[in-house]
Amino acid sequence: MPTKKTNVKIAITSGDQDGSGPEVTAKALSKLGPQLGVHFYLWRSPGVGKRHLSLIDKKFKRITFPSWAEAFKHSLGSPRELIDVNSVTPPPKWVESAAEAGRFGHIHALVTAPLSKTLIWDSGMKDVGHTEILARVCSRYDLFMSFLGKNFSVLLATGHIPLRSVNEKVDKRILKMALRAANDLNIMLDPKGKKSVALVGLNPHSGEFGLIGDNEIKTFNPALLELQKEHGLKIAGPLVPDAAFLRGNWKKYGVYVSPYHDQGLIALKVVHQHKSGCHMTMGLPFIRTSVEHGTAKDIFGKNRANESSMKDAITWAIHLSKNSFRTDSFLTEIKNA
């Protein structure tokens, strides 16, 4: 079992000022309140509304700094103190700074609210999203997006790439790394091993023995066999995609590995409806969790954003940090599969 860690440092970036991020962050922190052995660092824009700040102030003593450099120098006191980085720099730059802090062990976990793609580009970056920013800063390009749900979780073998590129991208090396990452994730979520990992097929009917595509025969089955032989992993699959996520499987499989983005996320979001769950990046040298929804700018300022996913993201970041889990352990075992 991992050693319990005390005084963990959790950074939270609140995302677009005109999106749902500041609202869900304030609501989640207000509901959670101070946590024993946890110190929060909150990045936010100067324009964040007083309503959100007052929610935080009901539970925390905010200590405000204009930059991360100044905030980091502050000597931490009671968990009731919340370090408030009131930053004029663009929100994507906060993610860069937080990733650097995580890379060098200055923080234990990063929790992110949504960022719009346009804001990232307007900030002078060429990254597609959070995952790409984190990969670039940490020089870790074999990262896997995973999504934690109450009924089941999903890990994506590929991320934000065109559908036409999936066939080429999902080779045996990537698939084995994704499956190892999913196994690590399953251990984090289910230490007692009640559920297993399942690999979802790429083609309809999982290829129907090669009649509707041969990915399962040429790549998926060999990857599963090699992982069983080399690491003793028992992973089910490849499952038929249109039946993989049926309710009857939820008690058997804790983590599904999906070859491409929408295959896994459509199922997860239809089942959970944003009422539970969060996003976690596997492969980083620190814990990174996030909400599993977008900026929701259409409801900005209406006090209608649901904070459940942010609350889950913060809760998981605390739990995994305190238990000293790593999300990159699979990288030490498979480098040239």
Short mmCIF file of all heavy atoms in Angstrom, two decimals, residues 9-13 39-43 68 98 107-112:
data_model
loop_
_atom_site.label_atom_id
_atom_site.label_comp_id
_atom_site.label_asym_id
_atom_site.label_seq_id
_atom_site.Cartn_x
_atom_site.Cartn_y
_atom_site.Cartn_z
N LYS A 9 0.06 19.65 -1.50
CA LYS A 9 -0.22 20.94 -2.13
C LYS A 9 -1.00 20.69 -3.42
O LYS A 9 -0.53 20.01 -4.32
CB LYS A 9 1.08 21.68 -2.43
CG LYS A 9 1.89 22.00 -1.18
CD LYS A 9 3.24 22.60 -1.54
CE LYS A 9 4.07 22.85 -0.28
NZ LYS A 9 5.42 23.37 -0.63
N ILE A 10 -2.20 21.27 -3.48
CA ILE A 10 -3.10 21.09 -4.62
C ILE A 10 -3.28 22.43 -5.32
O ILE A 10 -3.78 23.39 -4.71
CB ILE A 10 -4.48 20.56 -4.19
CG1 ILE A 10 -4.34 19.34 -3.27
CG2 ILE A 10 -5.33 20.27 -5.41
CD1 ILE A 10 -3.87 18.09 -3.94
N ALA A 11 -2.88 22.53 -6.58
CA ALA A 11 -3.11 23.75 -7.37
C ALA A 11 -4.39 23.59 -8.18
O ALA A 11 -4.67 22.52 -8.72
CB ALA A 11 -1.93 23.99 -8.32
N ILE A 12 -5.18 24.66 -8.24
CA ILE A 12 -6.43 24.66 -9.00
C ILE A 12 -6.41 25.84 -9.96
O ILE A 12 -6.24 26.99 -9.54
CB ILE A 12 -7.66 24.78 -8.07
CG1 ILE A 12 -7.66 23.67 -7.01
CG2 ILE A 12 -8.95 24.75 -8.89
CD1 ILE A 12 -8.74 23.85 -5.95
N THR A 13 -6.57 25.57 -11.25
CA THR A 13 -6.69 26.66 -12.23
C THR A 13 -8.15 26.79 -12.61
O THR A 13 -8.80 25.80 -12.96
CB THR A 13 -5.84 26.38 -13.48
OG1 THR A 13 -6.20 25.12 -14.06
CG2 THR A 13 -4.35 26.34 -13.13
N HIS A 39 -3.17 21.87 1.35
CA HIS A 39 -3.05 23.31 1.10
C HIS A 39 -3.43 23.58 -0.34
O HIS A 39 -2.88 22.99 -1.27
CB HIS A 39 -1.62 23.79 1.37
CG HIS A 39 -1.17 23.57 2.78
ND1 HIS A 39 -1.59 24.37 3.82
CD2 HIS A 39 -0.36 22.63 3.33
CE1 HIS A 39 -1.06 23.94 4.95
NE2 HIS A 39 -0.31 22.89 4.68
N PHE A 40 -4.40 24.47 -0.53
CA PHE A 40 -4.90 24.80 -1.86
C PHE A 40 -4.24 26.08 -2.40
O PHE A 40 -4.10 27.07 -1.68
CB PHE A 40 -6.41 25.02 -1.84
CG PHE A 40 -7.22 23.78 -1.60
CD1 PHE A 40 -8.00 23.65 -0.46
CD2 PHE A 40 -7.21 22.74 -2.52
CE1 PHE A 40 -8.75 22.51 -0.23
CE2 PHE A 40 -7.96 21.59 -2.30
CZ PHE A 40 -8.73 21.47 -1.16
N TYR A 41 -3.87 26.03 -3.68
CA TYR A 41 -3.43 27.22 -4.43
C TYR A 41 -4.45 27.43 -5.55
O TYR A 41 -4.65 26.53 -6.38
CB TYR A 41 -2.06 27.00 -5.05
CG TYR A 41 -0.92 26.89 -4.06
CD1 TYR A 41 -0.63 25.66 -3.45
CD2 TYR A 41 -0.13 27.99 -3.75
CE1 TYR A 41 0.42 25.54 -2.55
CE2 TYR A 41 0.93 27.87 -2.85
CZ TYR A 41 1.20 26.66 -2.25
OH TYR A 41 2.23 26.54 -1.35
N LEU A 42 -5.07 28.58 -5.58
CA LEU A 42 -6.09 28.86 -6.59
C LEU A 42 -5.62 29.94 -7.56
O LEU A 42 -5.29 31.05 -7.13
CB LEU A 42 -7.39 29.32 -5.91
CG LEU A 42 -8.48 29.86 -6.85
CD1 LEU A 42 -8.98 28.76 -7.78
CD2 LEU A 42 -9.63 30.45 -6.04
N TRP A 43 -5.58 29.61 -8.85
CA TRP A 43 -5.30 30.60 -9.90
C TRP A 43 -6.64 31.12 -10.41
O TRP A 43 -7.53 30.35 -10.79
CB TRP A 43 -4.58 29.94 -11.06
CG TRP A 43 -3.09 30.13 -11.12
CD1 TRP A 43 -2.42 31.23 -11.56
CD2 TRP A 43 -2.08 29.17 -10.77
NE1 TRP A 43 -1.06 31.01 -11.51
CE2 TRP A 43 -0.83 29.75 -11.02
CE3 TRP A 43 -2.12 27.87 -10.27
CZ2 TRP A 43 0.38 29.09 -10.81
CZ3 TRP A 43 -0.93 27.21 -10.05
CH2 TRP A 43 0.30 27.82 -10.32
N TRP A 68 2.44 33.53 -9.21
CA TRP A 68 2.77 32.24 -8.62
C TRP A 68 4.10 32.31 -7.87
O TRP A 68 4.24 31.74 -6.78
CB TRP A 68 2.85 31.18 -9.71
CG TRP A 68 3.53 29.91 -9.29
CD1 TRP A 68 4.69 29.40 -9.77
CD2 TRP A 68 3.08 28.97 -8.29
NE1 TRP A 68 5.01 28.22 -9.14
CE2 TRP A 68 4.03 27.94 -8.23
CE3 TRP A 68 1.97 28.93 -7.44
CZ2 TRP A 68 3.91 26.86 -7.36
CZ3 TRP A 68 1.85 27.87 -6.57
CH2 TRP A 68 2.81 26.83 -6.53
N ALA A 98 1.79 25.79 -13.50
CA ALA A 98 1.43 24.70 -12.59
C ALA A 98 2.10 23.40 -13.01
O ALA A 98 2.55 22.61 -12.16
CB ALA A 98 -0.08 24.54 -12.55
N ILE A 107 4.35 21.08 -6.29
CA ILE A 107 2.97 20.76 -5.95
C ILE A 107 2.78 19.26 -6.16
O ILE A 107 3.55 18.63 -6.90
CB ILE A 107 1.94 21.55 -6.80
CG1 ILE A 107 2.10 21.22 -8.29
CG2 ILE A 107 2.04 23.04 -6.54
CD1 ILE A 107 0.98 21.76 -9.17
N HIS A 108 1.76 18.71 -5.53
CA HIS A 108 1.51 17.27 -5.66
C HIS A 108 0.43 16.96 -6.69
O HIS A 108 0.40 15.86 -7.24
CB HIS A 108 1.11 16.69 -4.31
CG HIS A 108 2.16 16.85 -3.26
ND1 HIS A 108 2.13 17.87 -2.33
CD2 HIS A 108 3.29 16.15 -3.01
CE1 HIS A 108 3.19 17.77 -1.55
NE2 HIS A 108 3.92 16.76 -1.94
N ALA A 109 -0.47 17.92 -6.90
CA ALA A 109 -1.57 17.67 -7.83
C ALA A 109 -2.03 18.98 -8.46
O ALA A 109 -1.92 20.05 -7.85
CB ALA A 109 -2.74 16.99 -7.13
N LEU A 110 -2.57 18.85 -9.66
CA LEU A 110 -3.15 19.98 -10.39
C LEU A 110 -4.58 19.63 -10.75
O LEU A 110 -4.84 18.56 -11.32
CB LEU A 110 -2.34 20.27 -11.65
CG LEU A 110 -2.97 21.23 -12.68
CD1 LEU A 110 -3.15 22.62 -12.08
CD2 LEU A 110 -2.10 21.29 -13.94
N VAL A 111 -5.51 20.52 -10.43
CA VAL A 111 -6.92 20.36 -10.79
C VAL A 111 -7.26 21.50 -11.74
O VAL A 111 -7.03 22.67 -11.42
CB VAL A 111 -7.84 20.41 -9.56
CG1 VAL A 111 -9.30 20.19 -9.98
CG2 VAL A 111 -7.42 19.36 -8.54
N THR A 112 -7.82 21.18 -12.90
CA THR A 112 -8.07 22.22 -13.90
C THR A 112 -9.55 22.36 -14.24
O THR A 112 -10.26 21.37 -14.40
CB THR A 112 -7.30 21.93 -15.22
OG1 THR A 112 -7.71 20.66 -15.74
CG2 THR A 112 -5.80 21.90 -14.98
#
